[in-house]
Amino acid sequence: MSIVKMRKMSLVAHNSERNKLLRIFIKNGCMEFVRSKKAEENDLQEYSDRIARIESKQYKIAFALSFLKDTVKTINLSQDSKKDKLTFDLKKENRLVSYEEYMEAAKDEMELLAKISDMEKINARLTDIKSESARINSFIEQIRIYKDIAIPFGIIKDTQKTFSLLGTIPTDKKEELISKLPQAAEIETATSDKVTAVLLIAHNEYKEEITSLLSSCEFVRASFEFTCSAAEQIERLEQKLRELEKERAVSINKVKNYLQYGSVLKVMYDYYGLEIEKVRAQAGCMRTQKAIVMEGWVPVDKEKKIVAEIEKNCSRAEVEFRDPLPEEVPPTLTRNNKVVSAFDGITDMFGAPNYLERDPKIFVAFYYFLIFGFMLGDAGYGLIMAIACFLFTAIKKPVKNSGQMILMFGFCGLSTVLWGALFGGWFGMTPAFMDKVHLFWFKPLEQPLIMFALALGVGLLQIGNGFALHGVATIKQGGVKNILLGVLKDFGWVVMIIGLFLFSPSLLAFLGIIQGELSPAVNTCVQAGMYVALIGAAMMLLSGLVGKKNPVKAVGGVLSNAYGAINVVSDLLSYSRLFGLGLTSGVIGYVVNMLAYDVIVVMFCGGQWFGWLIAVPVLVIGHVFNLAINLLGAYVHDSRLQYIEFFGRFYEGSGHAYKPIGSGVKYTYIDN
């Protein structure tokens, strides 16, 4: 359970062995390349061009996968029956893909690219259909106002003695126009809510008068090229829309034939990704006309296997390993047992540990487990979480590390069961038989002070652990100053916190949490705790004198440490969120139960059986909501406590995670 030791590999081989070596490194998944400072800069353009060519093919596959997903979504929205629903997603496939399978997919490259070309044509036609349909619908909306004017637009023309006008005016101007028109003018209108269509025919002698009147009424002249009536034109356009929709349906239906290629497209995408990694690795290597030099980091436990593979497959290659130099910072690879590894994601989101730093994951796993259950605090909810998560991993069997977070929530469910049982919380209540024999520690809603003291106790434990880890790291740096600071300052806080734990019975008795007189043994422990805490405080304050010869600076250092204690107290109070969230789930669960039974079953339904027909859905929905909202709260706030209150003491996360060649696959898991 620690950071894996790395060895620097240096390899010299004939250029003809290059591809064999890269294949060995990818298949074994244990070589992170290091770019050589002497790599030929002149070849960079060549490598860039090769990467660009591969990426262009990768973009085509990315388009095809996205197109298939969007089309499947469109098809499913039009399906009434759930049985006919299609499935296609862009998630990683839950299976291991061998290196040979990637190579096998590459043999069908031309066929797959041809299929993608067909999909591009279908997509282009679907885009054209969508644009044309939008244009037609827009035009229909423009001429719909003229639908009730039955005259074909082709005969609306000026004659030798008359003129004709077709257009629209605002509906509120209609009466004004009709009232002011000369009696000799003929007018036909079609009115909607906001606009009125107007067809007007009059003698030329009224042209100037009518034109002026129309202008005052905000008349907009129509300019259409068709000669039939608006109703006939709308019918023609709607027929065109029906034809386009049929063509669209046929095109979409064709896409179903390409869904069978989804899996191989994902493999092909990652094949190109591996090829890009190969090119980038080669670009960072030093080369001569006939030889290539490769350098990189290999876990110490993989060293013998790599040497054996190279000796077996490459006759013209020489390899050697060495430990990292003082100025080198190797990548970080951590290995822990299955339980601790389930919590790796929490630490990884913050940052990988430096190669020379202590791996904090075992501590994160312990405290995350401890705090999560405390916050959720209901054994019923924890039981559901644990069963659901462990069943999922047992049935789904996630490959590699893909199921880590589900497994983490399963362990957090077990923590919730433990704390919930101690708190007597089972779906917001304590079962009668447990209440009768007092099969729990205490009820947080009835004794909130104990809950609050317990939350602060957990906080003191984690903060003290953080100081201890920082103290160990400081002492390991060597030097008198570092040793004194580690011992006096960091372990001063640890001693003070131990003293506070020993003194805590007195505080609990003062708050009324502990009833009755303290036993002589406990009183002795309390007195010892007071002295231990004072010794720790003195150590912490005296650490301000380290490295300061000037009396003023020495006094300032002591006062600075005393002031810094305020920050520690503030951090400790942050753990009160454990108290708040721990009570929240219990309160909401209690309210849901009361609403379902006391209000619905008893009050409204008089205790009759049919009341449960309403109460059961209320119980299910209420508890699901309570579990969901408090699950999110516990996840977020538990992570926050790790990142700020715990990591803030000792952990920087300044390293970079070990990424061997072949680890950048997107849609598949490489079997290495």
Side-chain angles (χ1 to χ4, degrees):
M1 294 187 292
S2 61
I3 294 173
V4 177
K5 184 180 179 182
M6 288 287 169
R7 296 265 284 169
K8 184 71 170 287
M9 186 194 78
S10 297
L11 182 149
V12 181
H14 192 272
N15 275 324
S16 61
E17 306 279 18
R18 180 173 48 190
N19 289 328
K20 290 181 184 178
L21 290 166
L22 290 170
R23 184 166 62 249
I24 289 170
F25 297 144
I26 291 175
K27 289 181 71 172
N28 287 278
C30 57
M31 165 67 163
E32 181 176 311
F33 275 84
V34 175
R35 180 174 177 79
S36 172
K37 295 179 181 179
K38 298 180 180 179
E40 290 291 336
E41 299 293 337
N42 297 332
D43 294 336
L44 287 181
Q45 186 59 48
E46 175 194 341
Y47 290 121
S48 298
D49 292 342
R50 287 169 62 186
I51 290 173
R53 287 194 294 272
I54 299 171
E55 284 180 337
S56 67
K57 297 177 182 179
Q58 205 175 35
Y59 293 150
K60 285 180 176 290
I61 295 178
F63 152 76
L65 291 170
S66 179
F67 175 65
L68 289 173
K69 180 186 176 183
D70 293 342
T71 306
V72 165
K73 185 178 179 181
T74 301
I75 293 172
N76 287 340
L77 288 173
S78 63
Q79 299 285 354
D80 295 328
S81 173
K82 289 186 177 180
K83 292 190 298 182
D84 301 326
K85 299 287 185 183
L86 299 173
T87 57
F88 188 85
D89 59 57
L90 299 183
K91 296 177 182 176
K92 273 194 171 186
E93 296 196 348
N94 187 43
R95 67 187 184 94
L96 293 174
V97 179
S98 66
Y99 184 81
E100 288 71 23
E101 188 174 343
Y102 291 109
M103 297 300 109
E104 196 66 29
K107 295 178 182 178
D108 301 324
E109 180 183 58
M110 298 307 297
E111 180 186 352
L112 286 173
L113 291 176
K115 300 294 182 187
I116 293 172
S117 180
D118 293 341
M119 282 188 269
E120 287 174 337
K121 291 175 183 177
I122 294 173
N123 182 60
R125 183 54 191 152
L126 287 172
T127 302
D128 291 342
I129 290 172
K130 184 178 180 181
S131 300
E132 192 173 354
S133 298
R135 181 182 59 79
I136 291 173
N137 279 314
S138 177
F139 188 60
I140 288 174
E141 289 304 312
Q142 290 180 41
I143 65 175
R144 193 178 296 280
I145 185 64
Y146 302 101
K147 189 175 181 180
D148 293 334
I149 297 178
I151 300 173
F153 287 3
I155 66 173
I156 303 174
K157 297 178 180 178
D158 293 346
T159 65
Q160 188 175 3
K161 294 185 177 181
T162 65
F163 69 97
S164 304
L165 292 171
L166 177 68
T168 59
I169 61 171
T171 298
D172 57 6
K173 300 284 186 179
K174 177 182 174 182
E175 296 301 327
E176 178 185 349
L177 175 63
I178 294 174
S179 64
K180 292 182 179 180
L181 273 177
Q183 291 186 354
E186 292 293 331
I187 185 171
E188 185 176 348
T189 62
T191 303
S192 68
D193 292 338
K194 295 182 179 181
V195 180
T196 295
V198 174
L199 172 60
L200 193 147
I201 303 173
H203 196 276
N204 284 334
E205 65 180 283
Y206 299 108
K207 188 171 185 178
E208 186 176 342
E209 178 186 348
I210 291 174
T211 301
S212 177
L213 176 61
L214 288 172
S215 178
S216 67
C217 291
E218 302 175 25
F219 176 77
V220 178
R221 188 167 186 169
S223 56
F224 301 117
E225 296 179 359
F226 57 88
T227 57
C228 60
S229 68
E232 291 172 334
Q233 184 66 13
I234 288 172
E235 177 57 33
R236 292 176 185 174
L237 293 173
E238 288 178 343
Q239 177 60 31
K240 179 64 175 175
L241 285 175
R242 287 191 287 271
E243 292 172 1
L244 289 172
E245 183 57 32
K246 285 182 181 177
E247 185 182 354
R248 176 179 172 275
V250 171
S251 297
I252 287 177
N253 201 49
K254 287 180 181 177
V255 179
K256 292 181 182 179
N257 299 324
Y258 298 100
L259 291 176
Q260 60 182 306
Y261 300 103
S263 181
V264 71
L265 283 171
K266 290 180 179 179
V267 174
M268 194 67 187
Y269 182 96
D270 283 340
Y271 162 76
Y272 287 136
L274 292 175
E275 290 300 299
I276 290 172
E277 286 192 60
K278 285 182 183 179
V279 176
R280 286 178 175 155
Q282 294 175 60
C285 294
M286 184 172 65
R287 286 195 306 162
T288 65
Q289 190 173 358
K290 294 184 178 181
I292 186 169
V293 178
M294 297 179 175
E295 291 185 318
W297 296 105
V298 175
V300 67
D301 57 340
K302 298 287 185 179
E303 184 178 328
K304 291 182 180 179
K305 184 178 181 182
I306 284 291
V307 171
E309 289 275 351
I310 292 172
E311 289 177 349
K312 178 182 177 182
N313 296 283
C314 304
S315 59
R316 293 185 287 181
E318 292 293 331
V319 60
E320 67 173 28
F321 291 86
R322 63 169 174 79
D323 290 330
L325 299 175
E327 65 271 15
E328 292 178 322
V329 181
T332 304
L333 173 65
T334 59
R335 281 207 193 105
N336 295 290
N337 61 43
K338 194 171 184 178
V339 176
V340 174
S341 294
F343 295 84
D344 280 357
I346 302 300
T347 304
D348 293 341
M349 281 191 288
F350 185 86
N354 186 285
Y355 181 73
L356 301 175
E357 201 172 11
R358 176 184 289 274
D359 179 15
K361 291 180 178 178
I362 186 172
F363 302 104
V364 172
F366 172 74
Y367 287 112
Y368 203 92
F369 174 86
L370 182 71
I371 291 171
F372 195 100
F374 192 103
M375 285 183 172
L376 200 53
D378 188 286
Y381 296 161
L383 204 58
I384 290 174
M385 282 176 58
I387 292 172
C389 293
F390 291 137
L391 269 180
F392 176 86
T393 53
I395 295 170
K396 189 76 173 177
K397 293 182 172 60
V399 297
K400 290 202 169 181
N401 297 325
S402 57
Q404 275 189 327
M405 182 160 282
I406 299 297
L407 203 57
M408 181 193 79
F409 280 116
F411 289 124
C412 288
L414 294 179
S415 172
T416 306
V417 171
L418 293 174
W419 281 111
L422 290 173
F423 297 156
W426 296 83
F427 297 107
M429 63 180 181
T430 304
F433 75 92
M434 289 186 178
D435 210 1
K436 188 174 182 180
V437 298
H438 202 77
L439 199 60
F440 53 87
W441 182 12
F442 69 95
K443 294 182 180 180
L445 293 178
E446 296 178 2
Q447 295 173 291
L449 274 179
I450 298 180
M451 184 77 163
F452 184 72
L454 198 57
L456 295 185
V458 171
L460 273 176
L461 181 65
Q462 188 172 28
I463 288 173
N465 196 170
F467 276 120
L469 290 172
H470 185 266
V472 170
T474 304
I475 292 169
K476 280 186 175 181
Q477 291 176 12
V480 176
K481 182 178 178 181
N482 287 330
I483 293 173
L484 286 174
L485 283 173
V487 171
L488 293 176
K489 187 173 184 180
D490 294 308
F491 281 99
W493 275 108
V494 173
V495 170
M496 194 190 314
I497 289 171
I498 291 172
L500 288 174
F501 274 117
L502 294 173
F503 188 73
S504 61
S506 177
L507 294 173
L508 297 177
F510 176 75
L511 294 172
I513 296 172
I514 296 178
Q515 303 294 328
E517 293 288 331
L518 298 177
S519 66
V522 173
N523 274 322
T524 302
C525 181
V526 167
Q527 290 178 3
M530 181 175 63
Y531 292 118
V532 170
L534 288 173
I535 291 170
M539 290 170 64
M540 182 270 294
L541 292 173
L542 287 173
S543 67
L545 301 175
V546 176
K548 298 179 178 64
K549 297 180 180 179
N550 188 313
V552 176
K553 290 183 178 180
V555 172
V558 172
L559 293 176
S560 176
N561 282 358
Y563 182 77
I566 297 174
N567 293 329
V568 177
V569 173
S570 174
D571 291 342
L572 178 61
L573 291 175
S574 294
Y575 287 84
S576 62
R577 68 185 72 244
L578 274 69
F579 165 72
L581 287 172
L583 289 181
T584 299
S585 58
V587 169
I588 296 176
Y590 174 78
V591 170
V592 169
N593 294 336
M594 186 175 67
L595 177 64
Y597 181 73
D598 294 343
V599 177
I600 295 175
V601 176
V602 176
M603 186 181 299
F604 288 124
C605 300
Q608 299 298 313
W609 64 269
F610 55 81
W612 288 104
L613 297 177
I614 304 171
V616 169
V618 170
L619 283 171
V620 172
I621 294 171
H623 283 297
V624 167
F625 169 79
N626 191 23
L627 173 58
I629 197 70
N630 283 290
L631 184 64
L632 177 63
Y635 172 72
V636 171
H637 291 295
D638 198 351
S639 300
R640 181 194 177 280
L641 288 173
Q642 309 308 315
Y643 296 152
I644 298 176
E645 270 65 47
F646 189 45
F647 284 172
R649 304 271 166 240
F650 71 99
Y651 183 63
E652 294 181 3
S654 58
H656 76 273
Y658 182 61
K659 292 183 179 179
I661 184 171
S663 61
V665 288
K666 182 177 181 180
Y667 293 116
T668 58
Y669 293 95
I670 187 168
D671 187 7
N672 54 21

